[in-house]
Amino acid sequence: MAHPEISGIAQEIRYLKSGSGPPLLLIHGLLGGSFCWRFNVPVFAKQYTTFAVDLPGFGENDAPRHFDCSMQTQANRLSALLGELELESVDVVGASWGGAVAIFLAAINRKVRSLVLAAPVNPWSDAGAGRIRFLNSRMGGALLRLALPISRPLHLTALHRMYGDPARISPGTLDGYSSTVLRRSTAHNVLNTLRQWELDVNALPAAISHVKAPSLLIWGTRDGAVTLQSSNSLVQALPDCKLALIEGAGHLPFEETPDEFNRLVLNFLQRIPIASGREPA
């Protein structure tokens, strides 16, 4: 655990540390947590010291009712965490909402050596924009606060929509996500995130222009949450950016097709020149 202080408020960041070698930071998506990387950490940890975080308000990390859970503030917290851990150079993997957080982090902290972004939230994808606007309304927010604590029967349907092939949902996946979603503070933390969503997304182009690290985009061809077409704009906007597609995968390729995802990540990282003063894995 670490307690970076942002705007005078210290908030605990929970993380799971595994393995040895150069540091690798894993950032989960919205309604996710360190649990999401259960098929990746054992592989990455053979060559890297992995830090799988639970950002404040998500995973196993609760946050106060009116806590700032915006993408940009979470990136600031992670930047402070890198300083607290005394990491001089770090590779970062971020998924969906966590991919956008990773972009903001790379824009403000030159310690980020490289980025791997799995279908990151971005300004060129409008998928889900209508739902976000509704949830930001008074009625939508009230409905989410009422419905989320009793939403367990709908979790399997929601999970199916995140996968390209629901038959690949592994045992324990539903329980893992449900335990996160049903935490008492989750509804308030999600709403605190969504209130800043438009502001954060509108700030992403400027952040992208400040990213210097090479990047790899990984997308499932059946992603229904963040449009695959938006990857073309990201490839053009990010420096030294490559795109890898996983045929038939949905929005969660790191857990739906972990072998292919892990291979793509490790191949990408091993091709990046080692930073000065950094030991090879």
Side-chain angles (χ1 to χ4, degrees):
M1 302 256 187
H3 300 75
E5 185 172 301
I6 303 297
S7 300
I9 301 174
Q11 173 63 31
E12 183 176 84
I13 291 184
R14 178 183 183 272
Y15 60 84
L16 302 179
K17 181 180 177 181
S18 305
S20 61
L24 178 64
L25 178 67
L26 308 178
I27 309 175
H28 59 81
L30 194 66
L31 291 178
S34 55
F35 161 81
C36 300
W37 306 107
R38 62 200 179 281
F39 302 128
N40 317 110
V41 166
V43 176
F44 296 158
K46 293 176 182 178
Q47 301 181 48
Y48 295 88
T49 302
T50 62
F51 297 87
V53 299
D54 284 327
L55 287 172
F58 299 100
E60 300 296 318
N61 197 351
D62 290 326
R65 184 183 180 98
H66 298 294
F67 199 67
D68 185 350
C69 295
S70 66
M71 302 176 200
Q72 295 180 76
T73 299
Q74 298 283 26
N76 289 335
R77 293 188 182 110
L78 287 174
S79 184
L81 175 65
L82 298 185
E84 228 179 275
L85 295 175
E86 299 182 342
L87 303 181
E88 293 303 320
S89 177
V90 60
D91 298 302
V92 178
V93 180
S96 190
W97 173 79
V101 173
I103 290 172
F104 283 120
L105 174 61
I108 63 175
N109 195 317
R110 291 292 176 261
K111 293 179 180 179
V112 176
R113 185 184 81 124
S114 70
L115 287 173
V116 177
L117 307 172
V121 168
N122 68 81
W124 298 283
S125 174
D126 59 0
R131 289 191 296 272
I132 291 171
R133 283 193 295 270
F134 172 69
L135 292 172
N136 273 327
S137 69
R138 180 174 297 181
M139 179 182 295
L143 181 62
L144 183 68
R145 284 189 291 268
L146 288 171
L148 207 59
I150 57 172
S151 64
R152 181 70 162 81
L154 301 176
H155 292 178
L156 184 58
T157 299
L159 193 57
H160 276 211
R161 292 177 178 173
M162 293 292 103
Y163 273 63
D165 180 2
R168 290 195 283 231
I169 298 174
S170 61
T173 299
L174 178 62
D175 290 339
Y177 278 104
S178 291
S179 67
T180 296
V181 172
L182 296 176
R183 292 179 73 87
R184 183 165 44 182
S185 63
T186 297
H188 296 293
N189 295 331
V190 168
L191 290 173
N192 290 340
T193 302
L194 297 182
R195 287 189 188 100
Q196 302 296 321
W197 191 278
E198 185 175 357
L199 180 66
D200 282 333
V201 170
N202 288 341
L204 274 170
I208 289 170
S209 71
H210 288 90
V211 173
K212 304 301 180 185
S215 56
L216 172 68
L217 300 178
I218 301 178
W219 236 283
T221 59
R222 293 186 180 178
D223 192 326
V226 181
T227 56
L228 175 57
Q229 290 81 358
S230 65
S231 65
N232 297 324
S233 297
L234 273 171
V235 168
Q236 295 176 15
L238 285 164
D240 191 11
C241 181
K242 296 177 175 59
L243 171 64
L245 302 180
I246 299 183
E247 186 64 37
H251 190 56
L252 309 174
F254 44 91
E255 62 180 52
E256 183 178 356
T257 54
D259 290 344
E260 177 66 4
F261 184 87
N262 294 341
R263 183 187 67 80
L264 288 169
V265 172
L266 291 175
N267 285 348
F268 170 71
L269 295 180
Q270 289 162 5
R271 291 192 181 106
I272 300 172
I274 297 171
S276 175
R278 173 171 170 164
E279 295 297 324

